[in-house]
Every structure is written in structure tokens, then in C-alpha cells.
Amino acid sequence: MKNLTIAFIATLFIFIYSSRITFAQSSVRTGSIDSAKITVLIPEIDLSEKLELTFSDQVVKADRAFDNGETSLVSKADKHGLYVFHLKVPPTRRKLGFYIRLSKIGSSLDTLGRNDREVGVPIGYGILENYFVQGGDDIKIVARKKSTFRPLSNYVRGFSFNFSGKGAQKYSLRYLVDSIEYWREFAKDYIKADSTFNVDNLDMRIARKAIDTIKHYRAGLDLQAYNELCIHAYFSAAGLQYDILLSNLHGILKNSSVPFKKQLFKSLSYADSVSRKRLDRTTMISSNDFWSAELRKYRTITDCKNWKPDTLAQSLAPIGDAFIKENLYILVTKMYLNRFRNLINFFKIASLSIKTDVGKSQLAEMMKTTKGMPAYNFDLTDAKGHKVKLSEFAGKVVFIDFWYTGCGNCINYYRDVLSKVEEKFANDPNVVFISISIDKNKEGWLKSIQSGTYTSDNIVNLYTNGDGMSDPVIKFYQVLGYPRPLVIDKLQRLYKVDNTLRNMDILLSTISAAKAN
């Protein structure tokens, strides 16, 4: 089986070398570094639908884990069916480049398998995720919808792609590398007989083959694009190996001794540190793939039966690179803000490693959402068009939930927990229930209220005025997942902000305790 797998890898890369996609000399970047242009053609798309391109002058760490001052551009199809995006390259990214996400708005499925016309609002559907753009690029993308996958065919997110124009070579190579993940086998060959990590596992062999492919076309790439592609090839494979290892970890380690586990995790961490020394550090720490893989690695290393992010506090402490350690502490805090058993204790440990002014400022920003801190005095519009402020409810216990149309977990939470809790306090004038939706389509939001699926029309339903996740209240509470419940006390201070409020008994007791204080 092992020889068959290796042969299959070799066959794939022979295919890649002889790919139908050709790289013309025009793909070498020239021209102004102040701007870039992306043109998209999707032959099967309904031309009434829109495309959204999102980019940032900062790294989009950990797959959109949190807001980084992103800018979104929305384009309608022109008379030729083309979607055109003109990007002004941020000064801070002209040398390093930056990443974009391309999404189709409309005619996609939500978590219940319904399309946007059924739920009443457009739902974003990813086409390209974190592709690399540099100043001077003029990239033309043809994306064709593919309903089925065939081995040795290029296939990512349900589309086959063709790229041309200035800067397109790096897109074509990235696409070829990404296509591998859609046919690869899961060999699970991560642990050797001596309980050490197998650095020559299938994922790493695939990564090396991908880097060899990139080297083959090195002459047509500038150094930054070359480094970014190599780093993507390595860390996307590394992240995948951590995911697979974690998913099988309990079974593998169920009857293993403590020394066995320590040896495995030590060798895994060492193997990774050795491998990445061959990669360009400046590009690496600007790469989404690096930060995502690092998070997954330490999540794997700290695995335990009832895992909580608190366990990462000690795991990150030995990291030798001060920049990486500081940013991982910040990233972990933002990623898992509502899942800590003892967030204050984690803050104390993290603060010992956060030395820069920027890091300290970010940590202080996150501490604003801990118990006892002042709640955000929002100013939003209700379903009747009236302005509502939090300050209007001073002296009352306030429950707030954040949701959006199409959120399956929001539907379940309202049906199984929140609707029942609202009934318990329905006649209590000292408790107020508020729902805040991030829907951008007002008509869709009103329709969702009337449906009784996410909320009821007996409570205070508020709308973020079409700003969605960009609204100040969403940013203040750093809402990353939905539903997001929280309780505010009678003095307008945060009383409880974590996901245990998704449990009906805990929510009931929390509201009762806040009333008693």
C-alpha cells in the first residue's frame, strides 16, 4: 500500500508538470506597485448575483479568526459577465503582498441546506480563500463550477480554475498545490515504533513534492511569491497532519504511558522547528497558513479528554521566538475568548510573554469583555425603526444574544434553550431580553423575526443597520461565533460572557444570580 501511495504521488506530479495550464512570460510582474486588478468570469453564475473580494493590510491569521481591519469590495457583473475589482495596495504590504478572499454572494446554501432565497438574505460562498496578491498584478480568473471530483483533476471548493495575466503564475501553482488535498489518502503514518513523530509521513512527502513543483517554475516568480508558495505548501500540509493526528489521538494514546506521550509531542515539536528553519521567516510570519498550523499544532500537543484553551497557557510558554509566542498568546485568546475556564488566570500568564505596546494594547482590549467591566452602550434600531440604547435598561438584568439568518446553531439555541428561558421570565419587569442580528438585509431580518425561528417578537430585537460584523457592538464584544449570549447586571456591567450560557440551567441560574446581586 505504501509503494502504491508513493507511486500515486509521483503520477500526480507528473500530471502537474504536464498540466494544461501554461505559464506565459507575461505572468512575471511588471508595472505599478500601488495597485492590483482582479477580473473574474464564472460562466455558470446568475449575472444578477454579486461577488465580494475581501482584503486587509494585515495578515488574515487563522482563517478569518478575527477582524484585522478588513476591506470588502462588492462587484456586479458588467455587460460581458465580468466581475472587476481594482485594489489599492496598502503601503505596508507593497513589499510583502497581502491576501484576498473571493466569495459569491447569493444562491448558496446555509447550514440547513436552504438557499438564500428561502432564508431571505444573501449567504456568502467561498471561491478562493487567502490567495496572495502583489502590487502590479493584473490577474484574470475563469472559475467553472464542477459538481463531481475526479482524481488527477484540478479541483478546489467545487470549482476548476484557469488563471492568466500578470502575477497569474503564482495563482496557478497555488491552485495545483491545493488540488492535492482533494484526492490525498489519509495514511495516518505519524508515529514510529519508538514513539517518536514520523517526519517522513505522507503529508510531509506531499509537501516536499509540492515545493519541488514550485521550484520547477522558480524562474517565473519573484522571491516574495516563491517564498509564499513554499510556505503555503509546507504549512497547509502540516496543519492537515495535526488535524488528522488530533482526531485520532485519543485512540492512539488511550493506553499509552506518560513518557510515550511526552516523547511523541517533543519529537513532533522538534521536527516542525527543524523543517521551518529552511523557510523564509519574514514571509512565514506574514502567512495565514503558518499561524493556522501553529494553532493546530499546540491544540494537538495539549490534547486531553476535556480540552479547554486554558491548557495552552503552559504549552506556549517555552516557545523561544518572542514574536511568535506573543502573537500566539493573543491569537489563542481571541480565538477561544468564550471557552476559557479561567480567563483572568490565562491573561496573567499571557501578560508575562506580551512585551510590545501593540500586544499589550490588544490584551487590554480583550480584557474589556471580562466580568465586572462596563458593558457597551450600543445605539441600534429595533424592528419598528426606533433607536434603542443599552442605558435605557439601567437597573435591570439584561440578556443579549447575537445571531444571523441561516445560523443553524442559533436556531437550535433558540428552540431548545432561549425560548424556554424567556418564558420563565416573561412576567418579570426586572429582566430584559435583547437579540442583535448581524444580517445585512433588513427585510430578511424582519422576516426571520416573524418566523419565530431565531427569536420572538415579544422581546427587544435590534438590527446593526446593515453594518453586520463591522458594527461597533460586534467589535467591542469580539463576536466570532454564533449564537453569542451574555448577561449584563443592573449596574450595566458584564456579569457573564461565555458559552456556558448556551446551557439552559446555567442561563437560568445566571440571570437569577444577577437579579439577586
Side-chain angles (χ1 to χ4, degrees), residues 76-92:
K76 297 180 180 179
D78 65 16
K79 63 181 180 181
H80 303 294
L82 299 176
Y83 295 84
V84 182
F85 298 92
H86 294 277
L87 288 71
K88 184 177 180 180
V89 179
T92 55

Side-chain angles (χ1 to χ4, degrees), residues 28-41:
V28 179
R29 291 172 55 248
T30 59
S32 172
I33 63 171
D34 299 332
S35 62
K37 180 181 177 183
I38 307 290
T39 304
V40 183
L41 172 65

